Amino acid sequence: MNRPVRRSQAISPFGVGALVDFPGPVSLVHAGLDAWPFDPSKPEHREFKVEDEPRLARRLGVDFFVQPPDFRAPNSAGSAEAVNVGLKLPFLRFPLWHSCPRCGRMFETRYQDRAAPQCTGPVGSGGDKGKLHKPRRTVQVRFVTVCRDGHIRDFPWIEWLGLEPEEWNRTRSDRWLRLLSTGSASIAGVIVVAERQQADGIIEVKRKSLAGAFGDGLGIKCDSQIPALSIGDGGDVSGEACPQKLQAVLRGASNLYFSDVRSSIYIPEVRDASFPPDVLDILDDHEFKQELLNAAIISDDGTLSRKAVSVILKRRRPESGVDTEALANAANKHVLHEALTQHRLTATMLAMRAGANGGCLTAAIVAEVIHDSHVSEWEIDPALLVAPLNAWLETRNGEASQEGLAADTEYAEGAFRFEEYAAFCRDGQEGMPKINLLVRSHSTGSYAPIVRDRFSRIALLDKLRETRAFVGYSRLFAASAQDSSKRWKLISRERKNWLPAIVVRGEGIFLVFDSDKLDRWNTEHGAFHRQRLVEVNRNLHAQAMRREIHAQDVEPKFVLLHTFAHVVISQLTFDCGYGSSSLRERIYFSEDHPRMSGVLIYTAAGDSEGTLGGLVRMGSPGLLERTIARALDRARWCSSDPVCIESPGQGPDNCNLAACHSCALLPETSCEHQNRLLDRGMLIGTLDRPETGFFSGGD
């Protein structure tokens, strides 16, 4: 049976470990990476690899990413993609416990079972007690248990009744459980009954309702079951002790699964204005670049000649008129060192040797590394690689995170995003490829005062490419404080050198707030707004304490940027035709060095809706001003005012002030912060202090 899941859904919300309800009905759990139909040694699987996002790969500590296989119908066997027809993502049956709709009798299955058990009774009560009934297909129970460390298992029915699991397992045919309902609307109306078959009929052993099972009333310790990895299934647990207690939840509860996704906007690594744009664009083609590297490694002198480049160019791009001499020179200058740096073990070796030599590499060290690496046959003069490798080391050492998830800090995220911020703020793209990122800008002087007086830069991103990588998941609370090793143990039995990811393309508008204007507003009105945020910060820290994560006080500047992004996205849905769920925000904010105060509003929906061009057009002079003015006008009055504007705390965990679904909230796919930390008062002021808004007064 086909149970379709879109490629983007396989990352979020139906990533590894997620419980998905399919037609049937049947509930399945997305199996771990060990079961994914991907083998890096198979050439036909190469099309799923994403190897040209090195920034994100370095941060997450992997070599490359893998896109989930897309659905391909069997009738495409005559196409070029026929080799990968029929690839499917793996799913396992969960919950394992089923109950009969007719008599309530419960059955326990296994993860690999394809069909639900059939029940014929016997009936446990009424005038038909003890009699068989027509075969009925059982359905999965609606209760499961989870712990804060991400484990999940069936509700412990036997333990809840106080029975011995060894005596009440799936191998005993003379005893069973029934799940009954008294008709009550509360959980107390759900009753589990233990029965035993004896010579004189069926006797009831024990009966207990589920009253008190939810919340902290279960009182049963977690045994580290992970259905996604087939860890569990009747006691086959991982053997690792879990300190958490189980909590009962509904199978369809919204807090059962939170996918942890990290994203990156592609930034070209090659920057050299001495080469023509068509040469730089070719160097931004990963597969073409790999062919250039392979040709260099097998050449006599270890470099690329004009003849070798010409052969590759005719085979891969016969229509291209690029200068082969310039392409060979550019590749020798900017590409050859990647034969060492793109291999994680060799790159680590380079970093270690450089660290032992005062932080820099010499020709002798490079020669030793080549000899000990996977390209030991390479006949290149190591002196040619010293300069680019030392430049690569400087970039690597400047990154906040070397081993990815072990450094999930605000500083690490800020440093990572600053590279994007700096690329968007750069005037022109001279010397940079324009295939995956195309940035242009208008002078702020060409805009009306509402933009000119408050923003220092408006950049239009005609092209952008975003990679969204799945790194793990949490249960009960989003963004739990698990380290890298714990996250890997939830998604794979063995740590991989890759992670699932999707690549989407789109367009965007990048706005940088004028830092002087922002500082002046903060000096004049910051104290007033910080006082308003006291309760929000208190709620924020209480939420962080429950989730066992670190939280910092939110500043008025950040709330201003975040709320501005929300109201502009809401207005753009009317002005340019994109649905609000197709637009996303990306906040660039930091008070520390390097300072950032920008907002990227972009579309990257994974389909043709991301390439219409309408969003970029709305950033042009004469159009952007109207959009911002209309957004602010709508923000000045909410249909829930004055309740909304005077609210001391509302929304998720009471972490918003003047922001509700009628004025500032967006679909959760559009917001980076789960619709928290919003306040229209930062934009347009409050009822009693209208002058305190950043956009109060003026044009």
Side-chain angles (χ1 to χ4, degrees):
M1 179 184 294
N2 288 326
R3 298 186 176 101
V5 173
R6 292 198 307 271
R7 173 174 278 181
S8 60
Q9 287 180 318
I11 302 298
S12 177
F14 301 148
V16 172
L19 217 56
V20 187
D21 288 323
F22 289 104
V26 61
S27 173
L28 303 177
V29 63
H30 190 163
L33 301 184
D34 307 279
W36 268 42
F38 173 76
D39 186 350
S41 64
K42 291 184 177 180
E44 61 267 27
H45 287 184
R46 184 176 181 83
E47 65 171 293
F48 301 122
K49 294 176 70 174
V50 180
E51 300 179 280
D52 53 349
E53 188 54 76
R55 280 198 325 126
L56 188 60
R58 286 194 296 266
R59 185 172 185 228
L60 301 181
V62 295
D63 292 337
F64 57 91
F65 301 101
V66 173
Q67 295 197 78
D70 52 341
F71 175 76
R72 296 173 187 178
N75 60 9
S76 64
S79 69
E81 297 178 338
V83 291
N84 288 321
V85 168
L87 288 182
K88 295 181 180 180
L89 290 173
F91 282 81
L92 299 171
R93 180 174 291 271
F94 186 83
L96 301 179
W97 280 97
H98 295 59
S99 66
C100 175
R102 170 67 176 85
C103 64
R105 182 173 174 177
M106 300 178 70
F107 297 82
E108 189 180 10
T109 59
R110 296 186 181 276
Y111 294 132
Q112 290 78 15
D113 289 348
R114 289 183 173 271
Q118 296 284 328
C119 176
T120 58
V123 178
S125 61
D128 295 332
K129 182 176 181 180
K131 295 182 180 180
L132 301 180
H133 58 74
K134 292 182 179 180
R136 295 288 297 271
R137 187 177 64 179
T138 59
V139 296
Q140 290 162 296
V141 298
R142 64 183 190 271
F143 306 106
V144 295
T145 56
V146 299
C147 84
R148 297 173 65 130
D149 282 352
H151 302 122
I152 183 172
R153 59 162 289 181
D154 278 272
F155 187 92
W157 304 102
I158 297 173
E159 293 90 335
W160 179 248
L161 287 170
L163 304 174
E164 290 296 330
E166 294 79 10
E167 298 181 6
W168 293 79
N169 55 49
R170 62 167 70 95
T171 63
R172 302 294 297 265
S173 60
D174 63 336
R175 56 198 69 189
W176 53 80
L177 304 180
R178 291 189 195 275
L179 190 64
L180 307 175
S181 175
T182 64
S184 171
S186 69
I187 195 63
V190 179
I191 298 173
V192 58
V193 181
E195 295 179 345
R196 179 184 298 165
Q197 177 74 54
Q198 291 188 346
D200 56 347
I202 300 173
I203 66 169
E204 182 178 303
V205 178
K206 200 163 187 179
R207 170 186 292 254
K208 190 176 182 179
S209 79
L210 296 191
F214 285 73
D216 297 327
L218 197 57
I220 297 176
K221 191 174 180 180
C222 175
D223 56 359
S224 306
Q225 293 195 30
I226 309 174
L229 307 182
S230 294
I231 296 176
D233 192 9
D236 178 23
V237 296
S238 64
E240 296 186 8
C242 177
Q244 305 292 345
K245 289 187 177 182
L246 292 173
Q247 297 187 37
V249 296
L250 289 173
R251 192 181 72 202
S254 60
N255 65 343
L256 185 65
Y257 181 84
F258 297 95
S259 183
D260 192 353
V261 177
R262 309 299 168 87
S263 66
S264 171
I265 305 295
Y266 178 79
I267 305 297
E269 293 194 326
V270 177
R271 298 172 189 170
D272 193 336
S274 63
F275 294 105
D278 54 354
V279 169
L280 297 174
D281 288 344
I282 287 180
L283 292 185
D284 210 31
D285 183 335
H286 178 73
E287 293 186 2
F288 196 104
K289 189 164 58 175
Q290 289 303 116
E291 287 211 31
L292 294 176
L293 283 174
N294 294 335
I297 291 172
I298 63 175
S299 66
D300 293 336
D301 62 354
T303 61
L304 285 163
S305 64
R306 178 177 181 177
K307 181 179 180 181
V309 169
S310 179
V311 171
I312 298 173
L313 193 64
K314 286 181 180 179
R315 183 171 68 251
R316 293 193 62 90
R317 297 191 180 187
E319 77 287 351
S320 175
V322 68
D323 184 354
T324 54
E325 184 71 31
L327 181 56
N329 292 334
N332 287 327
K333 181 178 180 181
H334 294 290
V335 172
L336 294 186
H337 71 285
E338 293 188 18
L340 301 176
T341 59
Q342 70 181 4
H343 191 271
R344 188 154 53 108
L345 294 179
T346 306
T348 302
M349 193 187 312
L350 285 168
M352 293 176 61
R353 298 285 181 89
N357 191 51
C360 65
L361 294 166
T362 63
I365 294 176
V366 173
E368 292 176 3
V369 171
I370 292 176
H371 181 268
D372 297 335
S373 73
H374 63 294
V375 289
S376 56
E377 303 296 327
W378 197 8
E379 296 295 338
I380 191 170
D381 179 3
L384 298 176
L385 301 177
V386 172
L389 284 176
N390 279 324
W392 167 80
L393 272 175
E394 185 177 349
T395 302
R396 175 186 172 105
N397 294 335
E399 291 175 350
S401 173
Q402 295 295 331
E403 196 55 32
L405 300 178
D408 276 347
T409 62
E410 280 193 33
Y411 176 78
E413 180 66 20
F416 183 78
R417 291 203 174 189
F418 180 73
E419 298 177 17
E420 302 170 8
Y421 183 83
F424 302 157
C425 288
R426 192 176 294 114
D427 288 328
Q429 276 188 283
E430 196 68 26
M432 292 179 63
K434 300 177 178 63
I435 295 297
N436 294 308
L437 180 67
L438 179 57
V439 182
R440 59 187 175 91
S441 63
H442 294 284
S443 168
T444 54
S446 60
Y447 290 90
I450 191 173
V451 173
R452 180 175 65 239
D453 294 346
R454 295 172 176 87
F455 298 92
S456 60
R457 178 174 176 80
I458 307 296
L460 307 180
L461 280 62
D462 292 281
K463 296 180 183 178
L464 65 83
R465 195 190 79 175
E466 183 187 27
T467 302
R468 301 174 193 157
F470 171 87
V471 301
Y473 61 87
S474 58
R475 304 197 190 276
L476 296 180
F477 298 106
S480 65
Q482 293 177 338
D483 58 25
S484 174
S485 61
K486 284 187 176 181
R487 283 177 175 159
W488 272 107
K489 289 176 181 177
L490 292 175
I491 64 176
S492 177
R493 286 179 178 261
E494 294 182 358
R495 183 160 183 161
K496 307 288 185 182
N497 65 338
W498 55 271
L499 283 168
I502 57 170
V503 176
V504 290
R505 301 175 185 274
E507 55 180 314
I509 304 173
F510 179 66
L511 305 97
V512 179
F513 282 71
D514 186 282
S515 57
D516 293 334
K517 178 78 173 180
L518 205 58
D519 289 340
R520 195 178 312 119
W521 172 79
N522 190 51
T523 300
E524 295 176 1
H525 307 296
F528 169 72
H529 287 299
R530 284 189 195 90
Q531 185 61 37
R532 297 178 63 241
L533 289 171
V534 166
E535 191 62 30
V536 169
N537 282 318
R538 186 178 294 116
N539 296 335
L540 191 65
H541 284 282
Q543 174 207 79
M545 187 176 298
R546 291 193 301 271
R547 299 184 180 187
E548 299 178 355
I549 59 176
H550 174 71
Q552 293 182 341
D553 285 351
V554 62
E555 288 293 320
K557 287 184 181 180
F558 174 82
V559 179
L560 166 65
L561 267 64
H562 190 200
T563 312
F564 174 78
H566 274 236
V567 299
V568 171
I569 287 176
S570 295
Q571 183 60 40
L572 283 170
T573 61
F574 297 100
D575 292 349
C576 69
Y578 283 109
S580 57
S581 60
S582 297
L583 298 178
R584 291 173 176 257
E585 66 175 8
R586 198 167 176 88
I587 309 298
Y588 298 87
F589 175 77
S590 175
E591 287 279 54
D592 304 321
H593 182 75
R595 291 190 64 181
M596 295 185 290
S597 56
V599 171
L600 172 64
I601 298 172
Y602 67 105
T603 173
D607 57 16
S608 59
E609 193 175 6
T611 58
L612 294 175
L615 180 61
V616 163
R617 183 174 179 271
M618 296 308 301
S620 304
L623 296 176
L624 181 61
E625 302 95 327
R626 291 207 302 265
T627 296
I628 294 178
R630 290 170 180 167
L632 294 174
D633 283 341
R634 294 182 63 209
R636 286 188 175 92
W637 182 252
C638 168
S639 59
S640 297
D641 280 343
V643 175
C644 178
I645 194 68
E646 294 178 342
S647 172
Q650 59 178 321
D653 297 300
N654 288 329
C655 287
N656 291 330
L657 290 177
C660 68
H661 281 286
S662 300
C663 57
L665 270 59
L666 294 175
E668 288 193 10
T669 55
S670 301
C671 180
E672 290 189 300
H673 300 278
Q674 299 173 318
N675 275 324
R676 293 178 173 87
L677 310 178
L678 299 166
D679 176 30
R680 291 182 294 125
M682 304 287 176
L683 301 175
I684 47 88
T686 62
L687 289 180
D688 55 339
R689 296 280 300 276
E691 75 282 359
T692 59
F694 183 78
F695 291 92
S696 298
D699 296 321

